[in-house]
Amino acid sequence: MTATLLDGKALAATIEASLRDEVDAVTTASGRPPRLVVVLVGDVAASASYVTAKARAAARVGIDAEVVRAPGSADTAALVGLVRGIARGDQGAVDGILVQLPLPRQVDTTAVLDAVPADLDVDGFHPENAGLLSQGRPRFIPCTAAGVQRLLVDAGIPTAGRRAVIVGRSDIVGKPLALLLASRGRGGDATVTLCHSHTQDLAEHCRSADILVAAVGQPGLITADMVRPGATVIDVGINRVEGSEGSRLVGDVDFAAVSAVAGAITPVPGGVGPLTVAMLLANTLLAAELRIGRR
Ligand code: NDP
């Protein structure tokens, strides 16, 4: 079997096109475009390229995005102060704030993320937004998790009553995705297993999955023998590996071997990544709509 490729890039372009009109409407109604501020700390090349991709995507749909840089030597207090200043509007009115992760080692990431007010938290990491998601009344859903669910819905892959196995339990990907797939309604109602580094018999859990999601950060972790024939495999992982022809990006899934077994699979790059960006734009639009009472 050769798996159907789930094209996240194409879906992200469709989502962007549908957001453009809504952004225009909000811009007209509120007298200014929705505004997103992205905080980039230090000079890690991968983070800088993600931030550039987010800012460019925002510009494409008419969202005003600004990148605020801080030095890699910044401490927790400085970054908390910076985020609070942005939230107060020191740099102009703002609808959404995103702090690009990871932050440097000396920084308390939770303290910095907590400085983003819940109503500007377009990444969906604030405890209030996490709580609303866990209670089944989401406001800002973490972008990658939302993107994976959207991809499944768009591809017509049923989730209700299906077994979904997620490998990776981070607060930003695995955990919110588990909540989403287990929630009631469209793109939900799955029976979810959440695996992590202490999981015993990982391969056995994975083989039970109708929908297998890898969100770990280990190239080649998911091999063909861990995948039930016909299963849907979503590869969230982004890993840079060195090869004979220089470095390239790969996911957590052994793509070549697994695509011969799976029914559908996401590529890396071009799978979940573009959807993460599209969902960020959707969350920023939502924040602006909530601000002016349109939602
Ligand atoms: P984290 O490092 O926060 O979490 C990794 C998770 O994987 C943890 O729950 C960890 O378990 C688990 N884990 C580690 N080793 C194993 C193992 N051998 N078997 C089973 N589980 C294991 O990562 P993130 O969630 O932030 O990111 C995961 C991957 O997704 C990364 O490659 C990241 O770059 C990528 N990513 C991609 C995005 C996209 O847009 N496509 C967006 C965000 C992330 P434990 O909890 O026990 O430590």
Side-chain angles (χ1 to χ4, degrees):
M1 170 185 274
T2 304
T4 304
L5 208 59
L6 298 172
D7 187 345
K9 203 170 164 191
L11 177 56
T14 306
I15 294 168
E16 276 188 20
S18 73
L19 290 176
R20 240 170 255 137
D21 285 347
E22 294 172 57
V23 170
D24 279 353
V26 167
T27 303
T28 305
S30 73
R32 66 162 176 84
R35 182 150 183 274
L36 169 69
V37 176
V38 182
V39 177
L40 175 61
V41 184
D43 52 10
V44 176
S47 293
S49 79
Y50 295 145
V51 165
T52 302
K54 289 167 184 175
R56 281 193 186 140
R60 283 197 297 272
V61 302
I63 290 173
D64 176 18
E66 183 190 355
V67 180
V68 172
R69 290 169 188 274
S73 57
D75 62 11
T76 304
L79 294 178
V80 166
L82 178 66
V83 169
R84 287 193 181 141
I86 295 167
R88 275 197 309 270
D90 291 359
Q91 329 233 353
V94 57
D95 295 296
I97 300 176
L98 177 153
V99 179
Q100 183 64 42
L101 300 179
L103 293 175
R105 294 170 71 106
Q106 76 275 9
V107 176
D108 177 347
T109 298
T110 304
V112 176
L113 293 180
D114 281 356
V116 178
D119 59 337
L120 303 181
D121 169 41
V122 287
D123 248 341
F125 297 163
H126 191 283
E128 188 177 317
N129 289 316
L132 288 170
L133 174 62
S134 80
Q135 291 188 350
R137 45 186 184 135
R139 179 169 49 190
F140 301 119
I141 302 173
C143 305
T144 304
V148 170
Q149 187 186 45
R150 179 71 186 262
L151 186 64
L152 294 170
V153 169
D154 183 80
I157 294 165
T159 52
R162 303 299 160 110
R163 279 180 296 239
V165 175
I166 301 166
V167 190
R169 60 173 165 182
S170 72
D171 289 342
I172 66 173
V173 185
K175 216 185 282 175
L177 182 58
L179 287 168
L180 275 183
L181 295 181
S183 66
R184 294 174 199 277
R186 198 161 176 239
D189 292 324
T191 303
V192 178
T193 303
L194 191 54
C195 300
H196 45 75
S197 67
H198 296 267
T199 297
Q200 293 187 359
D201 302 324
L202 179 67
E204 205 171 301
H205 284 291
C206 291
R207 271 193 296 273
S208 75
D210 300 306
I211 298 165
L212 176 60
V213 182
V216 173
Q218 275 184 31
L221 178 73
I222 305 297
T223 50
D225 61 307
M226 297 167 80
V227 176
R228 192 179 59 68
T232 297
V233 178
I234 307 289
D235 194 351
V236 176
I238 301 178
N239 310 289
R240 186 163 287 283
V241 294
E242 299 301 325
S244 52
E245 289 161 21
S247 74
R248 65 193 176 99
L249 290 182
V250 299
D252 293 340
V253 175
D254 177 355
F255 182 83
V258 169
S259 45
V261 178
I265 190 168
T266 57
V268 176
V272 175
L275 289 170
T276 298
V277 178
M279 291 301 126
L280 169 67
L281 305 179
N283 276 349
T284 306
L285 172 65
L286 173 62
E289 288 178 326
L290 289 169
R291 175 176 56 81
I292 62 171
R294 277 175 76 102
R295 288 271 282 264

